[in-house]
Each structure stands twice: as structure tokens, then as C-alpha cells.
Amino acid sequence: MRIRDIFKKRSFFPETSLPSFTGVFSPELNPTVAACGNKIANTLSVLPLQLYVHTKNGKRKATFNPLFRILENPAYEETSTLFYGTMVRHIIFNGNAYIYKMRAEGQLAGLSLVDPKKVKVTRDSSGKKIFNIEGKAYSSKEILHIPYPGTGYNGTLGKSPAETHRELIDLDNKLLDYINNYFDNSLGSRYALKPGASYNQKADLTKFYAQIMPAYNKFVLGNSNAGKVMIPPPDTELQKLDQPSNVEGELHSLLKMVEAQICLAFNVPPEIIDSTNQKYGSLEQKQNDFLSNCVQPLGDHICKCMETLLEDNWTHSFFIQYEYKNLLTTDTATTIDYLSKEVQSGLMSVNEARAKLGLPDIGEEGDFYWIPGNLIPQTMDTINAIMAKQKVALEDAHNPNGDDK
């Protein structure tokens, strides 16, 4: 069977469920939760996920291994960015991600995400995980399970930070609802419409509300009437009631505190989400904080789980790793200073430095590496010339008394 046909057989994979809007707890609907989850997922989805092999000189990309290409393009229907972004969102919002191992002729051919809401995990008599998906059981050889590594993992299932800190998110939702109601009711500044003498009878008040208020709301109140002349209905008096209160400031302070705690629940520095906070002195410092506290711990956990995709006949010398250096974005001045030092120390060629800045190379002369000091090309001819010069200097300083060192 062709690989394309294998990928098209997705009956085991129900479409990913959308968040429920019918009273069921849906953390994705909270703005701060959504911002944290999207920030983490979007960051990890664009970082290269590579398969490496250990060598005597360190590591190199294992391009010869079939898993290398699968990690680059894991799914037939989704781009790698969509696949990995959805996978991370499953981990963050549901606490678990499940990936079906697609095979062709017994060999791993690709990956397919499974809706975590459709999976029930149990254990067999030997203690191994069994994944029940719409009435069919799958083993760990068929399903790759990536649980959220934070608080709440019970040895079988992960627990999302949104579920762990549900009360905190509920409090934030209540504060947002209160603020919406506060401003919807025009608290702080309201208008009162006083009926005239012709509306003194109680029976007429019902008629007043039925006839006057719709027109008043349409032509007097609302943003669409801002700046327009107010014309009170006949035999009415319009009065503005000021209700001074410091509740706005208190609500804003409380909301900021709660939202900061939600960010920390997701290991996201609050300053990453709140752009008005100027805690960091540079973009590099900001990215480093986000990387070390949030992205790398989760990313390393995902890599270790993904390494179980390595077949039994593949040696332990292989490992999977994210290219985190792509996240270490710096400002232009810092970048140029860093690249200049790399070139001057011989760790990077001019062409490599220009490529980092998105500039074209300058030809073959830009491929040389330079020795610190005199900035001369690091070639064998140069090295031989330097050694010959040192040899001549030693011969000139030769001691005739028999010291041949």
C-alpha cells in the first residue's frame, strides 16, 4: 500500500473537537490562557525539530535515518507548523497529546494527531498503557503519548495547567464579566430621563417605557451618537448622574495580578504577554527568560517522548533536539557586535556572518576563517610561512655552546 493511501485512512482519527460553549469549562476561551498557549505553541511550532547522531566531534544531523524526514514533514495533510502547533496545544490545553504512528510495509511512514478528547487510557494486566479510541484499542507501539510534564501527572495521564489552576482562571473570567457589566451599565456616569407632568399616572409609565425608551436608546445613547446633539423626548427632562468611584483602578490592579498568576501557571513570564511591562533591558534578555523558564523545559520533554519513535534496530546514539538558537533573537546592534567578534576570533567566516543578517555572500574570499591578531587567512600556506619564520628566528638565536633546543 502506498504511503499516500496510508495517510488517507483516518477513520481512527476524529476531527479535533472545538471548545465547548455550553457551560463546560473551556480554558481556551480565557484571553490570558489563550495568549499563553498560543505563544508557547507558535514558538515551538516554528523551531526546527531535528534528529541527530552522536559523533567523535560532537553531533551531526542524521539525514540518513528515515525518522529525520518524518520529523521534518510528519503528516500528509498538515504542514509541519500546523502539526506541531496543534500537538503543543493538545498538551497545554488538554494535558495530553496522542500521535498515531502511520506505517507502510511495517516501517514508520508518518504521524497523525488524535483528538485527545476521544481517547481513554487504561492499563492491561501487565501494566502497559492501552489507548481506547472510539471503541478500538491501541498499544504504545501504535500510539505515542506525550503528557504534560507539570503538576498533576498521575503516572498515566498528564493534567493541563489550565485544569490545575481552574479556580484562578474562573476568577479571571468573573472579573472580566464584572468589568463588561460595569461598563455596559454605564457605571461611573449615567443618564436619568425624568417624565413630565403628562406621565404622572402610573398607568402612563408603562406606556412611557414602551414608546420613549427605544427611541432614547437608539438616538441618544451609544457610541454611534457620540458628538451628536441630544434632543430629549417631549415632556421629559434629561439629567446626568455622576457616580465617582475608584473601582476602575482597583479592578485593573486586581485583574493584572490574577492574569500574571495565570501566566506563571503556564511558566510564561508575565512580561512576555503584557507588552506594557518594561522589565527587560533588551530583546535578548526577554527571549532568554522565555526560553529558559517555559519553552526549553517543555521542548526537551517533547523531544524525549519523540525519541520513542526510534525503532529497536536503531542504536542509542540517536537523539532528537529542538534548535533553540533560532529563538535567541537580539537587537541589531547586539547582533552585529556578536557576529564581528565571531569573525575576528575565527569561529565564523564573513559569508556565514552575512548570511545571519540575510545578506548575500561576497564570493570565495568570504569563506576564509581568520586568525585573531593580524587577521590573516587561516590556510596551510599561511601556517607554513609562520612556522618557517619562527624556525629562522630560532636558528638566529642558536647558542654555539651546544644547546640545540
mmCIF file of all heavy atoms in Angstrom, residues 71 146 185 226 228 355-356 372:
data_model
loop_
_atom_site.group_PDB
_atom_site.id
_atom_site.type_symbol
_atom_site.label_atom_id
_atom_site.label_comp_id
_atom_site.label_asym_id
_atom_site.label_seq_id
_atom_site.Cartn_x
_atom_site.Cartn_y
_atom_site.Cartn_z
ATOM 1 N N LEU A 71 10.255 13.665 10.842
ATOM 2 C CA LEU A 71 10.168 14.798 11.768
ATOM 3 C C LEU A 71 10.045 16.123 11.013
ATOM 4 O O LEU A 71 9.398 17.061 11.495
ATOM 5 C CB LEU A 71 11.394 14.827 12.682
ATOM 6 C CG LEU A 71 11.519 13.688 13.695
ATOM 7 C CD1 LEU A 71 12.819 13.804 14.468
ATOM 8 C CD2 LEU A 71 10.336 13.670 14.643
ATOM 9 N N ILE A 146 2.208 11.860 24.751
ATOM 10 C CA ILE A 146 3.039 12.926 25.333
ATOM 11 C C ILE A 146 2.203 13.649 26.384
ATOM 12 O O ILE A 146 1.365 14.492 26.063
ATOM 13 C CB ILE A 146 3.517 13.930 24.273
ATOM 14 C CG1 ILE A 146 4.228 13.213 23.126
ATOM 15 C CG2 ILE A 146 4.455 14.966 24.906
ATOM 16 C CD1 ILE A 146 4.709 14.146 22.024
ATOM 17 N N ASN A 185 -23.384 48.918 31.843
ATOM 18 C CA ASN A 185 -24.391 49.650 32.608
ATOM 19 C C ASN A 185 -24.047 51.126 32.776
ATOM 20 O O ASN A 185 -24.713 51.835 33.515
ATOM 21 C CB ASN A 185 -24.557 49.015 33.998
ATOM 22 C CG ASN A 185 -25.238 47.668 33.926
ATOM 23 O OD1 ASN A 185 -26.124 47.473 33.116
ATOM 24 N ND2 ASN A 185 -24.802 46.737 34.769
ATOM 25 N N ALA A 226 -22.229 59.595 19.663
ATOM 26 C CA ALA A 226 -21.231 60.469 20.283
ATOM 27 C C ALA A 226 -21.047 61.744 19.455
ATOM 28 O O ALA A 226 -20.881 61.694 18.235
ATOM 29 C CB ALA A 226 -19.908 59.726 20.411
ATOM 30 N N LYS A 228 -23.235 63.980 18.819
ATOM 31 C CA LYS A 228 -24.493 64.490 18.264
ATOM 32 C C LYS A 228 -25.275 65.277 19.312
ATOM 33 O O LYS A 228 -25.121 65.065 20.518
ATOM 34 C CB LYS A 228 -25.346 63.328 17.743
ATOM 35 C CG LYS A 228 -24.724 62.575 16.573
ATOM 36 C CD LYS A 228 -25.642 61.456 16.110
ATOM 37 C CE LYS A 228 -25.034 60.682 14.945
ATOM 38 N NZ LYS A 228 -25.924 59.582 14.489
ATOM 39 N N ALA A 355 25.224 35.819 6.123
ATOM 40 C CA ALA A 355 24.018 35.002 5.997
ATOM 41 C C ALA A 355 23.109 35.167 7.212
ATOM 42 O O ALA A 355 21.881 35.158 7.092
ATOM 43 C CB ALA A 355 24.404 33.535 5.810
ATOM 44 N N LYS A 356 23.717 35.325 8.394
ATOM 45 C CA LYS A 356 22.930 35.544 9.607
ATOM 46 C C LYS A 356 22.139 36.844 9.531
ATOM 47 O O LYS A 356 21.076 36.976 10.144
ATOM 48 C CB LYS A 356 23.852 35.584 10.834
ATOM 49 C CG LYS A 356 24.579 34.283 11.135
ATOM 50 C CD LYS A 356 23.646 33.246 11.701
ATOM 51 C CE LYS A 356 24.401 32.007 12.116
ATOM 52 N NZ LYS A 356 23.499 30.957 12.667
ATOM 53 N N PRO A 372 42.926 35.288 14.984
ATOM 54 C CA PRO A 372 42.911 36.520 15.787
ATOM 55 C C PRO A 372 44.297 37.176 15.810
ATOM 56 O O PRO A 372 45.326 36.510 15.796
ATOM 57 C CB PRO A 372 42.523 36.019 17.182
ATOM 58 C CG PRO A 372 41.832 34.723 16.942
ATOM 59 C CD PRO A 372 42.483 34.126 15.735
#
